[in-house]
Amino acid sequence: MNPLTLNHYLLASGLLFSIGFAGVLLRRNIITIFMCLELMLNAANLSLVAFSRFHIGADGLPNYNAQVLVFFIITVAAAEVAVGLAIIVALYRARQTTHVEDLVSLKF
Amino acid sequence: MSPILFWIFTALMLAFGISVVLNRDPVASALSLVASFLCLSALFVGLDAFFIGVIQILVYAGAVMVLFLFIIMLLDLKAEKRRHFNRLTLVGGGAVAAGFVFELLHVLNSFSMGKNPFPPLGVARLDDVRQVGITLFTQFNLPFQTVGVLVLVASVGVIVLSRRELK
């Protein structure tokens, strides 16, 4: 079997991103849309980690700047999930729905 | 990482990702998302990023997914009823996603650096957590503390948002 190249990982990451992207465009349930957003964020993390492993520095170690960026992305994503789900709960209390087609007015 | 493991975990990750999009039941979507993230963390470990793999499982498969399932059960969401189907959305969304994949294949085909295999590590044992810590606390100390403030602001914001009456 051929050895793995950087393109394998970039392709896997891009396919995961496009699955999440298609989900955000196609689904109508706001919670599922939120899960698809998480898929897209993680696809970006996969390509960052692949680049980190690909660039071996002079000391023979991977480039850790990319992994620190992944750490920040995970932290910000966790904060974003907490705030987003709180907004969804507030929205559900006001309108009793999580279907985006029922939520068309900005102010109610 | 052995190529066979890469293909297995990538196929599982993409299959569970598709199942997140296609499932009509939000609980099934959330559990597929957990499975997809577990496969993704296996890929991270295969890329010698052990710390990121562990963080991925702890934060996503642990904390974030519990939050998702908690909210789904709190709101008592049932499986979506089959609604009037919007054909324009389906065609438009599918076309944009397919266009993205096509563009990606085109770019990867002309990206000659990515056709090289991964170089071997220059050290016998990788002290991965230590290296991430050193990078985080020396080069990225200010962003790290800023992220701490961000998490504080987010937790205060969540409490304000989930109070009974928004003023």
Side-chain angles (χ1 to χ4, degrees):
Chain A
M1 201 174 272
N2 295 329
L4 292 174
T5 64
L6 182 58
N7 272 352
H8 284 99
Y9 282 93
L10 293 184
L11 185 63
S13 144
L15 285 177
L16 190 65
F17 186 89
S18 57
I19 288 170
F21 191 41
V24 169
L25 293 177
L26 296 177
R27 292 306 305 263
R28 288 288 160 265
N29 187 340
I30 202 163
I31 290 198
T32 319
I33 290 178
F34 215 56
M35 289 181 205
C36 293
L37 276 178
E38 296 303 310
L39 275 185
M40 288 160 76
L41 278 169
N42 279 282
N45 285 351
L46 178 59
S47 62
L48 277 173
V49 174
F51 274 116
S52 150
R53 177 64 184 76
F54 191 72
H55 283 277
I56 299 286
D59 50 358
L61 291 168
N63 189 340
Y64 280 102
N65 289 357
Q67 296 197 17
V68 169
L69 181 55
V70 170
F71 176 81
F72 285 139
I73 291 176
I74 290 177
T75 318
V76 172
E80 173 235 328
V81 166
V83 174
L85 286 176
I87 290 175
I88 289 175
V89 170
L91 201 61
Y92 188 82
R93 259 192 219 139
R95 299 289 293 268
Q96 276 76 44
T97 181
T98 56
H99 202 271
V100 283
E101 281 166 356
D102 298 337
L103 305 166
V104 287
S105 53
L106 276 178
K107 189 179 176 189
F108 43 79
Chain B
M1 184 177 214
S2 117
I4 296 176
L5 284 178
F6 169 80
W7 289 116
I8 290 173
F9 282 121
T10 305
L12 280 175
M13 177 184 79
L14 295 178
F16 281 117
I18 290 172
S19 135
V20 171
V21 177
L22 294 187
N23 260 312
R24 208 171 293 135
D25 185 5
V27 177
S29 278
L31 293 178
S32 306
L33 193 63
V34 177
S36 182
F37 285 166
L38 288 179
C39 297
L40 186 63
S41 74
L43 288 182
F44 287 161
V45 170
L47 284 168
D48 300 312
F50 304 109
F51 178 68
I52 298 296
V54 170
I55 288 289
Q56 173 83 11
I57 291 178
L58 286 181
V59 173
Y60 272 110
V64 167
M65 289 334 291
V66 168
L67 206 56
F68 264 113
L69 287 174
F70 185 73
I71 296 299
I72 290 169
M73 287 169 187
L74 183 75
L75 301 187
D76 196 20
L77 298 179
K78 300 287 185 301
E80 250 176 273
K81 284 192 240 55
R82 206 179 268 282
R83 287 211 177 191
H84 169 65
F85 212 57
N86 194 342
R87 188 158 296 173
L88 186 70
T89 324
L90 186 69
V91 173
V96 172
F100 180 79
V101 172
F102 180 76
E103 186 69 32
L104 181 81
L105 288 174
H106 185 73
V107 168
L108 286 186
N109 204 27
S110 57
F111 180 51
S112 57
M113 191 180 81
K115 295 197 174 78
N116 302 321
F118 282 89
L121 285 176
V123 288
R125 280 185 60 189
L126 194 63
D127 48 350
D128 174 69
V129 180
R130 183 167 168 267
Q131 295 298 332
V132 173
I134 288 174
T135 316
L136 190 60
F137 289 119
T138 55
Q139 289 182 50
F140 297 97
N141 203 343
L142 183 64
F144 181 64
Q145 297 185 36
T146 316
V147 159
V149 176
L150 174 80
V151 172
L152 175 70
V153 169
S155 52
V156 171
V158 167
I159 293 169
V160 170
L161 274 173
S162 26
R163 283 201 333 211
R164 269 292 151 193
E165 282 157 36
L166 286 175
K167 298 253 160 55

